[in-house]
Amino acid sequence: MADDVTGSHVTIPHGQKSKTFKSTSEAVVVNTHTVFSVVKRLPEHIQVDDPDVLKKLAKKLERQQIPRRLDYGYKVSLFSHLLQYSRKAPLTQQLSIPSAVIHPAIVRLGLQYSQGIVAGSNARSIALLHAFKQVISDYTTPSNEELSRDLVNKLKPYISFLNQCRPLSASMGNAIKYIKKEISNIPSQFKEDDAKKKLLNCIECFIEEKIVLAAKAIAKSSIEKINDGDVILVYGCSSLVNHILCEAFEKGRKFRVIVVDSRPRLEGREALRRLVQKGISCTYVLISAVSYILPEVSKVFLGAHALLANGYVMSRVGTSQIALVAKAFNVPVLVCCETYKFCERVQTDSFVSNELDDPDDLIVTRKGETQLKDWQQVPRLGLLNLVYDVTPPDFVDLVITDLGMIPCTSVPVVLRVKNVDLL
Amino acid sequence: MPGPYRETDLTEKVEAFLSDLKRGGSGTGPLRGSAETARETTALLRRITAQVRWSSAGDLMEVIRKEGRRMSAAQPSETTVGNMIRRVLKIIREEYARSRGSSEEADQQESLHKLLTSGGLSEENFRQYFTALKANVIEAINELLTELEGTTDNIAMQALEHIHSNEVIMTIGRSRTVEAFLKDAARKRKFHVIVAECAPFCQGHEMATSLSKDGIETTVITDAAIFAVMSRVNKVIIGTQTVLANGGLRAVNGTHTLALAAKHHSTPLIVCAPINFLFISGEILSKVNVHCPVFDYVPPELITLFISNIGGHAPSYIYRLMSELYHPEDHEL
């Protein structure tokens, strides 16, 4: 969600009466038309059920000359406010080659996002920043324009395009905010080359400090938490957790790892590959076997996609389940997260803001039969492929960040400190 | 001494049944539902009773125990086979007691007084011969068969008492009992069903296609999304492989996570199981299988209600039903 840091007014969109399947105890959203002078704006990708918002989005995309990606397949009614795309229809097919508006590095990046070639919060942010470095080096200020304002305007259609390819993650949103701030702070007397050099330098610093060095700091703190003889459970493929485990193994700690995986992405296999290459002894299970394997486990290490301001952890779907079962067995749950992924949103359930992946991924052939092959033809059948879920803070025992080890509830404090720094 | 089998096709039938059981276990899942297995076991036991030469109740029980041990050994995880054998043994005891003229209740209740005076277990050796015993036992087994045939319908008939309209119901994997239950309710009420696919065998897919073809609004989710979606679910209805004597369950992989998630959101967890699924266990059964656990143990604290063909019960009542269905001496076959 690319939050625009402008002083614009915000209108709360018309609420819709709950559809038939919501339980009767839920409150009905009230129609209000209030005007706040709040900085944030509700992102469009969670208002797909509102036709006014869709119209405005279509107009904006037309102005920026970016094609609009269409929904695919029957959407489960509980998620009719979210977008659902098919991987077989990437946005780039609707573009003309060469595209006059969008830089080729951004087009390539968008394709990599939508096909899942670049996946994972850190990987996506780093790829984004590298693409922006390319854009900035190729940029020339047109006459009568100031670099600080024009470059920001040039970046807006790119961000819309990437958003259409795949909704932006929290880490990407923070990175974009940082870049925009740096660009607008370029003094007007800078020559173009100097300005570009400064910006490239800023981006390098961001990657170095917030991602690479942060990973080192987190690894250093985490290694204190790993004892000899530990059995550590990890879920899916988190680059940070893999880094921590590899570092701990190199420092000589003796432990074994249980990798938990889930359909349809099966990212755990990638984590397994990386850990086994280092020589760490691993076990592999599917998420339905978690309550079977948990009595053997001494600690659970989880990665995070974002940490929300009310202490909830947003991560790959299934993380909250693992945390729940671990809590039931009294196994400590440690979440590892860099501070640049902290985000000011609040969320209490996995419905209001999420991402729906391609529903066709759920189709599988077992014993020679593909049960869901023609699911589109069956009128009342829906397939739900969620990407994220939120874990309540009472399931998480500790969050390890580059600023130290904090409890989940201290996230808004960190955010406040960070914002004071930025100003 | 148990007499030799008179008919060779009885032996064939027994062998065929045993090999079916063995195959069903070594494949990727049960070859037929547990209810079907129960019916076939009982039919086979009726045949044995009718065709094998036996002179007293003791002989018959020996024969049945011997066959029962073979059948249980063929497929240890299919507990309904053992259960049916114990039911039939109890039937034989009851019919014998009735023929002798003693009342059933006096035999059943092990009061302290009886324990002290009789000095241990009762002295029955079932040696007396009664002409009408065979006919009575076969009639009782027929009644059992009718009860088995009607179980799914009986459970399904209770559906409307438990499902109201516009509900969101969650289930996991594929259970024929739950399928019948939901389809029966769907004839009169509109509701939404979320099916967890239950990897790696993904039986949830079959369940979802079957339900949606009957006009029920269905959604398939992955196992990882169970907790994420649970906050919008009103009820969780599941089937099970076995019900244990303490009110716990042995059910398909992933059920324990589902039960924990339901407990966290205070969502009622309802188990639909025919009464013949009750299983005797001395100590708490933990998981079976090493590589890919096929079953989960769900403790009774996480379960709200059991719906069986004889009505609804709380988990704390299961031990009482157990004592009515099986005789304590038959716990070990």
Side-chain angles (χ1 to χ4, degrees):
Chain A
M1 356 131 288
D3 293 78
D4 265 16
V5 187
T6 55
S8 60
H9 292 303
V10 155
T11 54
I12 301 209
H14 291 284
Q16 280 200 326
K17 244 191 153 22
S18 46
K19 300 239 171 83
T20 38
F21 305 114
K22 293 218 178 132
S23 69
T24 43
S25 57
E26 276 187 306
V28 173
V29 179
V30 175
N31 288 340
T32 45
H33 213 72
T34 331
V35 172
F36 292 131
S37 53
V38 172
V39 174
K40 279 188 276 213
R41 189 177 48 199
L42 216 53
E44 291 119 354
H45 69 270
I46 62 167
Q47 293 183 66
V48 173
D49 53 348
D50 190 346
D52 293 333
V53 170
L54 285 181
K55 252 191 278 182
K56 261 195 241 154
L57 175 67
K59 269 200 221 133
K60 181 174 101 169
L61 291 177
E62 218 182 284
R63 210 182 40 226
Q64 296 171 338
Q65 293 173 328
I66 294 179
R68 210 184 113 205
R69 204 163 176 204
L70 296 169
D71 272 342
Y72 168 73
Y74 174 72
K75 245 190 289 189
V76 178
S77 60
L78 287 169
F79 291 95
S80 57
H81 60 290
L82 297 175
L83 296 160
Q84 182 170 280
Y85 296 137
S86 162
R87 198 162 299 125
K88 294 202 201 55
L91 196 59
T92 43
Q93 282 175 352
Q94 297 167 271
L95 282 180
S96 59
I97 310 273
S99 164
V101 179
I102 308 178
H103 192 281
I106 302 281
V107 175
R108 188 177 69 173
L109 187 65
L111 190 61
Q112 284 172 334
Y113 282 168
S114 67
Q115 299 302 103
I117 300 171
V118 173
S121 172
N122 278 343
R124 282 165 71 188
S125 306
I126 295 178
L128 176 74
L129 289 169
H130 282 306
F132 274 4
K133 269 170 55 176
Q134 186 80 33
V135 166
I136 290 176
S137 359
D138 293 343
Y139 170 76
T140 45
T141 328
S143 46
N144 306 336
E145 292 286 352
E146 269 209 39
L147 180 136
S148 55
R149 244 172 298 177
D150 185 59
L151 186 53
V152 175
N153 288 337
K154 272 274 170 13
L155 288 182
K156 282 202 183 128
Y158 299 168
I159 295 167
S160 297
F161 174 73
L162 291 176
N163 212 356
Q164 287 288 300
C165 289
R166 188 177 163 186
L168 298 179
S169 65
S171 50
M172 287 163 70
N174 286 345
I176 290 175
K177 234 195 285 189
Y178 172 77
I179 294 181
K180 282 191 179 165
K181 193 184 71 82
E182 286 299 312
I183 296 176
S184 10
N185 283 348
I186 299 270
S188 41
Q189 59 265 34
F190 262 43
K191 282 211 292 278
E192 187 178 308
D193 285 338
D194 290 338
K196 289 206 304 198
K197 229 192 305 183
K198 179 164 187 290
L199 286 175
L200 292 178
N201 206 17
C202 280
I203 296 183
E204 284 286 318
C205 273
F206 186 85
I207 297 181
E208 188 60 32
E209 272 175 27
K210 307 278 186 197
I211 304 181
V212 179
L213 280 180
K216 288 209 181 97
I218 293 177
K220 210 161 91 145
S221 337
S222 316
I223 287 175
E224 298 164 28
K225 293 286 172 199
I226 299 180
N227 306 318
D228 281 342
D230 263 349
V231 180
I232 298 181
L233 186 116
V234 299
Y235 178 60
C237 183
S238 163
S239 51
L240 189 54
V241 174
N242 290 342
H243 178 80
I244 292 172
L245 293 177
C246 295
E247 286 281 319
F249 190 71
E250 268 168 36
K251 291 256 160 56
R253 293 274 197 277
K254 307 259 176 301
F255 57 91
R256 68 181 180 91
V257 175
I258 298 180
V259 178
V260 179
D261 204 3
S262 77
R263 284 195 67 237
R265 287 169 168 246
L266 294 174
E267 292 169 328
R269 293 187 291 193
E270 176 62 30
L272 198 63
R273 199 177 57 88
R274 291 190 202 170
L275 294 174
V276 168
Q277 262 176 1
K278 280 278 175 175
I280 305 177
S281 63
C282 300
T283 312
Y284 177 82
V285 287
L286 281 182
I287 194 171
S288 35
V290 143
S291 52
Y292 168 71
I293 205 98
L294 232 118
E296 303 175 13
V297 173
S298 51
K299 294 190 177 67
V300 177
F301 270 83
L302 298 172
H305 169 89
L307 239 60
L308 304 176
N310 58 342
Y312 279 63
V313 178
M314 184 175 206
S315 185
R316 182 70 76 224
V317 69
T319 312
S320 54
Q321 213 162 292
I322 304 228
L324 167 79
V325 185
K327 190 86 188 167
F329 282 88
N330 280 324
V331 174
V333 174
L334 292 89
V335 171
C336 310
C337 183
E338 300 96 332
T339 45
Y340 88 104
K341 289 183 187 162
F342 284 21
C343 128
E344 276 154 13
R345 277 191 313 129
V346 290
Q347 201 176 323
T348 52
D349 59 38
S350 322
F351 290 85
V352 285
S353 178
N354 208 327
E355 197 183 317
L356 295 179
D357 209 356
D358 193 347
D360 288 335
D361 286 345
L362 289 184
I363 302 177
V364 73
T365 308
R366 292 272 181 266
K367 296 194 220 173
E369 268 183 40
T370 318
Q371 285 288 336
L372 296 176
K373 195 166 41 182
D374 305 312
W375 71 277
Q376 305 251 35
Q377 266 78 33
V378 183
R380 285 187 179 70
L381 187 59
L383 300 185
L384 187 60
N385 192 355
L386 281 179
V387 180
Y388 300 119
D389 71 8
V390 283
T391 309
D394 23 340
F395 291 166
V396 177
D397 293 304
L398 190 65
V399 178
I400 307 179
T401 67
D402 38 324
L403 291 178
M405 302 200 221
I406 59 173
C408 242
T409 41
S410 297
V411 169
V413 177
V414 170
L415 278 172
R416 190 144 169 264
V417 167
K418 260 186 14 150
N419 281 344
V420 166
D421 277 343
L422 282 180
L423 284 176
Chain B
M1 279 290 283
Y5 296 135
R6 267 184 295 154
E7 318 277 354
T8 43
D9 72 346
L10 174 63
T11 336
E12 274 172 30
K13 286 229 161 28
V14 174
E15 293 304 321
F17 184 64
L18 284 174
S19 61
D20 258 350
L21 279 178
K22 278 206 195 84
R23 254 189 308 124
S26 59
T28 48
L31 216 48
R32 72 274 292 264
S34 305
E36 242 181 276
T37 317
R39 273 198 292 277
E40 292 210 16
T41 317
T42 318
L44 200 58
L45 290 174
R46 182 178 58 184
R47 228 171 223 278
I48 294 176
T49 316
Q51 290 178 344
V52 168
R53 217 185 305 147
W54 49 275
S55 53
S56 69
D59 293 344
L60 180 60
M61 282 164 59
E62 255 319 297
V63 169
I64 290 189
R65 270 207 201 97
K66 178 160 154 270
E67 286 309 313
R69 258 174 259 143
R70 280 178 67 199
M71 286 190 219
S72 294
Q75 183 46 276
S77 65
E78 192 59 72
T79 49
T80 45
V81 173
N83 289 352
M84 285 302 106
I85 291 164
R86 291 183 184 93
R87 292 284 293 272
V88 170
L89 286 171
K90 180 126 204 281
I91 287 175
I92 297 172
R93 282 174 202 271
E94 281 175 8
E95 291 303 323
Y96 183 76
R98 198 174 297 141
S99 306
R100 270 191 53 209
S102 52
S103 69
E104 290 163 40
E105 288 99 60
D107 271 346
Q108 265 198 4
Q109 279 166 356
E110 290 178 0
S111 65
L112 273 175
H113 182 248
K114 265 192 70 190
L115 278 172
L116 285 170
T117 53
S118 64
L121 300 166
S122 51
E123 300 288 307
E124 289 296 333
N125 55 3
F126 297 97
R127 283 293 150 213
Q128 276 181 278
Y129 178 70
F130 294 109
T131 35
L133 188 60
K134 189 163 179 165
N136 285 346
V137 169
I138 291 183
E139 199 184 308
I141 297 183
N142 280 339
E143 274 175 29
L144 179 60
L145 265 174
T146 345
E147 180 197 316
L148 285 177
E149 265 151 38
T151 39
T152 321
D153 290 332
N154 282 337
I155 294 181
M157 275 193 312
Q158 303 174 52
L160 284 176
E161 293 169 28
H162 297 280
I163 300 180
H164 62 77
S165 21
N166 293 340
E167 273 205 285
V168 179
I169 295 179
M170 183 181 274
T171 183
I172 186 168
R174 179 160 201 212
S175 160
R176 282 162 192 72
T177 319
V178 175
E179 208 179 310
F181 191 81
L182 293 174
K183 284 188 181 171
D184 204 89
R187 285 190 292 127
K188 299 270 174 60
R189 306 241 159 101
K190 278 251 157 297
F191 53 89
H192 189 171
V193 176
I194 299 181
V195 182
E197 67 179 1
C198 191
F201 306 123
C202 294
Q203 290 144 344
H205 291 188
E206 275 181 64
M207 177 86 155
T209 29
S210 161
L211 288 176
S212 52
K213 291 217 171 83
D214 255 32
I216 303 178
E217 186 86 33
T218 320
T219 305
V220 177
I221 61 166
T222 52
D223 297 333
I226 288 177
F227 184 74
V229 175
M230 184 59 78
S231 53
R232 291 294 173 277
V233 173
N234 298 121
K235 283 192 176 72
V236 180
I237 300 184
I238 55 176
T240 175
Q241 220 263 347
T242 313
V243 177
L244 305 173
N246 64 346
L249 289 188
R250 194 169 74 169
V252 82
N253 203 13
T255 313
H256 188 213
T257 314
L258 182 66
L260 281 173
K263 183 91 185 187
H264 181 261
H265 287 101
S266 298
T267 310
L269 176 73
I270 298 178
V271 182
C272 289
I275 207 67
N276 52 290
F277 277 31
L278 285 180
F279 174 67
I280 295 148
S281 153
E283 71 283 9
I284 305 295
L285 258 189
S286 57
K287 328 303 186 265
V288 262
N289 274 342
V290 178
H291 287 299
C292 169
V294 182
F295 297 119
D296 265 358
Y297 166 69
V298 182
E301 304 85 59
L302 301 176
I303 302 168
T304 317
L305 185 69
F306 281 95
I307 295 184
S308 73
N309 44 310
I310 52 182
H313 330 279
S316 46
Y317 185 62
I318 296 292
Y319 80 95
R320 194 85 195 101
L321 288 175
M322 195 77 79
S323 67
E324 282 171 29
L325 285 180
Y326 310 125
H327 196 275
E329 280 176 39
D330 297 327
H331 285 197
E332 297 297 320
L333 274 183

